[in-house]
Amino acid sequence: MCGICVCVGSVNAVKKVFDGLKILEYRGYDSSGIAFIENDKIKCVKTVGDISNLEEKISSLQSNIAIGHTRWATHGGVTIENAHPHLSASKNLAIVHNGIVENYKELKKEFNISTTSQTDSEVFCDLIEKENGSLLEKTISASKLVKGGFAIALLSNLGEVVLAKRENPLYVAQTSFGVMATSDIYVFCDITQKYYTLSDDEFAKIENGKIFFFDKNGKKIKKKCEKIKKNLKKVEIFEKTHMKSEILETKNSLFMTYKNYQSGKLFEKIFLPKKLESICLIACGTAYHSALQGAMYFKKIKIPSQAYIASEFRYGDEILNKNTLYILISQSGETLDTIACAKMLKEKGMALLALTNTENCYLNQICQNILPTFAGKEIAVASTKAYSCQVFVLYLFSLFLSGKFLDKKKDIEDFLKELSLTDIDEEIVDYVASFEKIFFVGRGFDYITALESSLKLKEITYINSFAICAGELKHGTLALVDDKTIVISFCTFKKTKEKLFSNLEEIIARGGKVLVVSDEIVPFKSVRLPTFLEEFMPIVSVIPMQFLALKICEKLGYNPDKPKNLAKSVTVE
Ligand code: G6P
């Protein structure tokens, strides 16, 4: 959520920053901008909307120092004034900022700051300018006044560059052409082999082509260099959109994930509570749906389990237990609410396990145990292959905990070999798209697939849809069913098949239409899935629904990779 890129030392700093912003665009695409030095003055170029709008504006600009930003709006609408970088009152300091200054209104009043934008970021910039000392000293003291998380880069008209970080990610590296800093290490692919991760309340100063690190008291500190992993490669897209590429990569992602887990060693490394009494899974968005599926897998092996939405868990009154394993699931490993839960649980001494798709993410740094998914970088905002891999790893982990991991080897390998990704016919796409109301229903595992399918549809087509347990329809929602309604139902959970069919008849009796996604022949209009063991079906049945959302989105002329109002990593509350 918001991307930062900095380049110091290259003659083409503006272009280098722009190239970095293009990689970071998935973090926010409301507006973008770059500040640089020209004739000892800070100049700023900003645009609203797609980053390609910025390209023309910067093509002739030359500077050896630049800071850039791609924005997901929090405070203040999507306007040029609110686009970053922001300048201080004197115009001698520029800031790019990811995060939220929670007390910006109070600070604005207390320090008598007047701003030209509606952003909290501009207040932060002026606050720094009003402090005393060098730019580094000013930044350190201003940071102490700020409530909330942030990653910032500052550029002064004297060519000083300072970085600061609390909660939101920030990485910095010495490259062959100069120093680069960014919110995502993917920007470093093909640029450098080594980089540094700024920790909370750490600061960096870039001076004479070198990086100096400081703690919150301004004391110089040494930091360990980290190596970019060999498998961290620039994303190559082989379809029109990232989302389509990513759905089509699912089989390979599952295969890569299994390859890393098949020996069981990654599970053996996990420190479990001495007496594992229960499992609590915590996540947001799509990852929450995989948490729900995971809870079902764990309950099947008789471990009491429950999934929670992170933003609810952190403010709820949940009773914590040292014999509970807390699994925090996040594709990005950056989601603020999930991280806040991890921090809170860590402080209380609970057993934590992070299930993430991003190496060296913040969540991994907090949790003592890590289960990675090997889905490969996911760029499209709507999560697809990462979801399938999360569900798969949770299933494998449940087998490990039940002691049956190796016994199931053949079933898993057969599944991976035979899995084919079910696409959806154009005729069905048009049929579904012709309805005003699209509901999703299911029972058991299938209900969770219904939740995830409905979220996919909402995210990228903006069609109002929701999911409900099939058995709950008659307790209220049936009142909405009429001839403008289609109910998409999943039928892979065998225990309740007959009951589900009765629920569908009740819909038809009220003029609604049904579409059943099943691996069996069913007496309704249907999408036919290949048959696998029931536990694999959540992975199988979500695929045609990802295609359905994608195809409706394309028909409506929207870009599935950049749905309106959303961003891939949500680093604010
Ligand atoms: C955003 C994304 C969703 C994602 C959710 C959680 O809302 O748009 O696709 O599921 O964040 O993200 P995480 O990285 O924690 O899995």
Side-chain angles (χ1 to χ4, degrees), residues 294-400:
M296 291 210 169
Y297 288 133
F298 296 129
K299 280 191 268 192
K300 264 216 170 298
I301 59 159
K302 308 282 178 246
I303 302 179
S305 302
Q306 199 165 346
Y308 292 87
I309 292 174
S311 54
E312 291 296 313
F313 185 87
R314 60 185 290 206
Y315 297 112
D317 296 315
E318 297 312 323
I319 296 158
L320 304 182
N321 179 353
K322 291 242 158 107
N323 293 326
T324 297
L325 176 66
Y326 293 86
I327 305 184
L328 297 116
I329 309 172
S330 173
Q331 186 285 128
S332 62
E334 274 186 39
T335 303
L336 191 128
D337 282 315
T338 311
I339 282 171
C341 292
K343 281 184 166 174
M344 183 264 280
L345 291 165
K346 190 178 181 174
E347 265 172 35
K348 303 224 154 100
M350 300 298 138
L352 304 188
L353 190 159
L355 174 54
T356 56
N357 191 42
T358 311
E359 230 190 288
N360 191 23
C361 59
Y362 197 22
L363 193 57
N364 287 358
Q365 288 161 25
I366 299 168
C367 299
Q368 67 265 53
N369 297 304
I370 300 164
L371 286 183
T373 43
F374 296 86
K377 179 83 174 164
E378 200 179 59
I379 302 272
V381 168
S383 181
T384 54
K385 60 176 183 173
Y387 171 72
S388 303
C389 288
Q390 286 162 355
V391 172
F392 187 49
V393 171
L394 290 166
Y395 168 66
L396 297 180
F397 188 42
S398 74
L399 291 179
F400 171 79

Side-chain angles (χ1 to χ4, degrees), residues 34 45 87 101 120 157 167 189 214 248 296 361 389 400 420 443 458 475 490 500 547:
I34 298 178
V45 186
L87 294 180
V101 179
D120 52 335
N157 61 325
E167 289 179 8
C189 287
F214 301 87
L248 293 172
M296 291 210 169
C361 59
C389 288
F400 171 79
S420 59
R443 284 168 173 255
K458 272 183 282 207
H475 297 296
F490 299 89
L500 176 77
F547 279 124

